[in-house]
Amino acid sequence: MSKSFDVVVIGAGTGGYVAAIRASQLGKTVAVVERQSALGGTCLIWGCIPTKALLEHAHALKVIQQASEWGVTIPSGTPAINMTQVHARKDKIVDGLTKGIAFLFKKNKITWIKGTARLAGPGKVEVFEGDTQTLEAKEIVIATGSSPRSVAAVTIDHRRIITSDEAIHLKEVPKSLVIMGSGAVGVEFASIYRRFGSEVTIIELVNRLVPVEDEAVSTELEKSFKKQGITVLTGTKVAKATSTPSGVTVEAHPPDGKTQTISADVLLVATGRGPVTTGLGAEEAGIKMERGYIKVDELYRTSVPGVSAIGDVITLGTGVHPQLAHVSSMEGIITAERIAGKAVQPINYDHVPGCTYCDPEIGSVGLTEARASERGYDVRIGTFPFGVLGRGRMAGELEGFVKIVADRKYDEVLGVHMIGPRSTELVAEAVLALRLECTVEELIKTIHAHPTFSEAVGEAAHAAHGAAIHM
Ligand SMILES: Cc1cc2nc3c(=O)[nH]c(=O)nc-3n(C[C@H](O)[C@H](O)[C@H](O)COP(=O)(O)OP(=O)(O)OC[C@H]3O[C@@H](n4cnc5c(N)ncnc54)[C@H](O)[C@@H]3O)c2cc1C
């Protein structure tokens, strides 16, 4: 027997479940096919939530380790982390949030069909879970996401050579950890395990950490990581990694050409994620693909009418599509609204905030100084350090800065890049500033409460006009 819905969404990650809720709010009958035993996808189960929970534990440990600075006396002994309790707390958070999505599905009358979905002809989705059932859909939304991928030289064995999927569950803190790749995932795990007590080496092929960020941010992070005792090898290629019964041996080629051999307990491969489309039948259904990703237009329509795709699994064919939870959710909302006949606008991907929750945190939006220059802007910069602020000193948070990239001609804010305390929260103001095509002058005239970290945004705007008040 087949069941009919207005919309069938494949995948209940942050793209799929948000698309489903929005479509239901707009009066559509909706089913979501998800093969995992919980809803929420990568973000809730393996990504944003468990990693940020671990980072909160690392932060708690940091505060306790620095207790004497706060005048807090700790009875004798060294503060230590108990991984069993850490995982129990983290897993409880994940469990609560995934159940929260199940509750939202009930509230919005969304049918969750557990199983693996495959496109089975126009308007048809087959679902396998023990037996097979066929769903009929006026519209299909593919939101099958991504999974970790390695490079040719390194084979993941999930024991000694692991991905983020295993790194969130390590029962013991490894004595030594090598991390390959310094994107958001790499540097977040570097912060977590360094604080937990591991000897951490981070290897990055490009000549700086967090290569997508503004260069000044990369330099500041490297300075801080080195101060924390993290070994940073940039411009270095991992040529080989071999698992042994007791650990892993990594052969690296640094820029000086001399081969370096590093032994460690664990190698974490954080070199990016690839699209999940195996068994989906996308190509057989005539959907145009590009490098394994599903090709969509600016409103997430695939080449097959009635089939849309959103989130980590897509490419717009215009450079790298950001694999971020909030991007997938916004794409889900736009897709649901388009399907429901509402007028929608494409996303401006220059206005997508990027947050990296390493220590110190990074928040950024818009053009970096280098990219603004490449696009031909007459660039003007304003930078202000957190350490000068009263709030920074009270919190003992003296690292980092806010950097504003602006266009000299029209005074428009083109990008804001920050590294330091609460940067992942402070960036929200910058996102709105870009969305509203704000000028530096408007940011200067925006009153920033005192004493707050947000004063650094206002002061960076003043600095862009050559007139920082407190510097
Ligand atoms: C360690 C880590 C940390 C991260 N931290 C952040 C962060 O802090 N902030 C942020 O914005 N992003 C973060 N991300 C990225 C974020 O998790 C992803 O961008 C986001 O989850 C993508 O959502 P999605 O809906 O496209 O896909 P996914 O969340 O991957 O969901 C896809 C779902 O589809 C299901 N599925 C796949 N194929 C089928 C099929 N054939 N049938 C049925 N079900 C199927 C899968 O089981 C999965 O549940 C992080 C990622 C990782 C790995």
Side-chain angles (χ1 to χ4, degrees):
M1 194 187 76
S2 71
K3 296 177 194 157
S4 294
F5 298 90
D6 292 332
V7 183
V8 169
V9 180
I10 306 176
T14 41
Y17 87 73
V18 171
I21 291 173
R22 188 71 190 119
S24 165
Q25 286 173 342
L26 294 168
K28 301 289 172 192
T29 56
V30 185
V32 176
V33 187
E34 170 57 60
R35 60 186 169 200
Q36 294 297 325
S37 53
L39 302 170
T42 302
C43 172
L44 270 72
I45 302 170
W46 305 281
C48 325
I49 300 302
T51 50
K52 268 86 263 181
L54 291 175
L55 278 153
E56 292 293 350
H57 283 272
H59 180 73
L61 182 59
K62 178 179 170 178
V63 174
I64 294 162
Q65 284 171 339
Q66 296 171 350
S68 60
E69 268 181 47
W70 298 94
V72 176
T73 311
I74 300 213
S76 61
T78 311
I81 201 90
N82 178 324
M83 289 304 275
T84 308
Q85 278 175 265
V86 167
H87 288 310
R89 183 174 179 277
K90 173 200 69 174
D91 294 345
K92 197 170 155 198
I93 294 164
V94 169
D95 189 50
L97 290 172
T98 57
K99 284 187 175 137
I101 312 281
F103 165 78
L104 290 174
F105 272 22
K106 274 204 186 107
K107 183 182 157 205
N108 287 285
K109 299 188 175 41
I110 295 164
T111 307
W112 171 13
I113 296 170
K114 184 161 181 315
T116 299
R118 194 177 73 86
L119 302 176
K124 283 194 170 41
V125 174
E126 263 176 12
V127 183
F128 307 92
E129 176 83 351
D131 57 1
T132 303
Q133 59 176 312
T134 304
L135 311 178
E136 283 179 9
K138 291 186 188 130
E139 292 279 345
I140 297 167
V141 180
I142 300 170
T144 49
S146 63
S147 60
R149 71 172 167 206
S150 187
V151 293
V154 178
T155 306
I156 291 159
D157 67 10
H158 304 284
R159 286 183 51 254
R160 294 287 175 186
I161 304 178
I162 63 170
T163 71
S164 58
D165 288 358
E166 291 80 37
I168 54 167
H169 293 303
L170 292 183
K171 284 197 172 66
E172 284 172 20
V173 175
K175 279 203 180 62
S176 50
L177 171 69
V178 175
I179 299 174
M180 189 178 158
S182 77
V185 171
V187 296
E188 287 183 2
F189 279 108
S191 290
I192 293 166
Y193 282 106
R194 179 64 195 135
R195 182 58 59 188
F196 286 178
S198 301
E199 287 301 323
V200 175
T201 302
I202 187 157
I203 304 178
E204 169 58 54
L205 185 62
V206 176
N207 63 1
R208 60 191 178 98
L209 295 176
V210 284
V212 300
E213 299 294 343
D214 191 276
E215 275 190 42
V217 168
S218 301
T219 306
E220 184 75 3
L221 184 64
E222 182 165 341
K223 198 171 84 188
S224 177
F225 268 16
K226 285 183 171 164
K227 216 163 80 188
Q228 294 173 46
I230 295 172
T231 304
V232 175
L233 302 177
T234 52
T236 300
K237 185 176 178 179
V238 171
K240 201 168 149 193
T242 317
S243 221
T244 67
S246 60
V248 62
T249 307
V250 180
E251 192 183 299
H253 292 171
D256 65 9
K258 292 184 192 143
T259 299
Q260 199 173 338
T261 305
I262 307 161
S263 296
D265 286 349
V266 175
L267 169 66
L268 165 60
V269 179
T271 48
R273 297 172 64 82
V276 174
T277 54
T278 310
L280 184 65
E283 264 165 314
E284 297 87 322
I287 292 176
K288 227 178 175 175
M289 313 286 284
E290 203 175 285
R291 296 173 296 113
Y293 290 89
I294 294 177
K295 176 89 175 22
V296 292
D297 69 9
E298 76 285 3
L299 293 179
Y300 313 107
R301 292 172 286 228
T302 70
S303 54
V304 171
V307 183
S308 306
I310 56 170
D312 282 11
V313 74
I314 65 165
T315 177
L316 289 132
T318 51
V320 178
H321 170 257
Q323 290 183 320
L324 291 168
H326 43 279
V327 170
S328 67
S329 295
M330 186 55 83
E331 291 169 351
I333 288 172
I334 290 173
T335 302
E337 291 185 350
R338 172 178 53 74
I339 286 171
K342 283 178 89 77
V344 288
Q345 294 296 320
I347 289 177
N348 180 346
Y349 285 89
D350 281 347
H351 295 174
V352 170
C355 291
T356 305
Y357 301 74
C358 51
D359 179 16
E361 292 187 355
I362 299 168
S364 61
V365 62
L367 303 183
T368 60
E369 183 177 352
R371 249 172 272 145
S373 298
E374 277 161 29
R375 289 205 195 168
Y377 287 103
D378 183 3
V379 173
R380 165 143 92 176
I381 299 299
T383 303
F384 193 85
F386 286 109
V388 172
L389 297 175
R391 186 77 174 83
R393 292 184 187 205
M394 287 177 246
E397 298 275 11
L398 303 175
E399 287 182 318
F401 54 80
V402 174
K403 173 175 174 177
I404 291 182
V405 177
D407 167 34
R408 195 177 291 276
K409 191 171 174 194
Y410 297 110
D411 199 37
E412 186 179 349
V413 179
L414 301 172
V416 182
H417 308 276
M418 44 184 101
I419 175 164
R422 321 286 201 277
S423 287
T424 57
E425 303 289 341
L426 295 177
V427 76
E429 178 186 3
V431 179
L432 191 63
L434 262 71
R435 168 100 185 144
L436 299 179
E437 299 180 356
C438 186
T439 61
V440 174
E441 185 63 27
E442 282 163 329
L443 266 188
I444 289 173
K445 293 283 149 57
T446 302
I447 299 173
H448 291 85
H450 175 76
T452 62
F453 290 114
S454 74
E455 286 174 279
V457 178
E459 284 276 23
H462 277 283
H465 280 191
I469 303 294
H470 291 93
M471 248 188 16

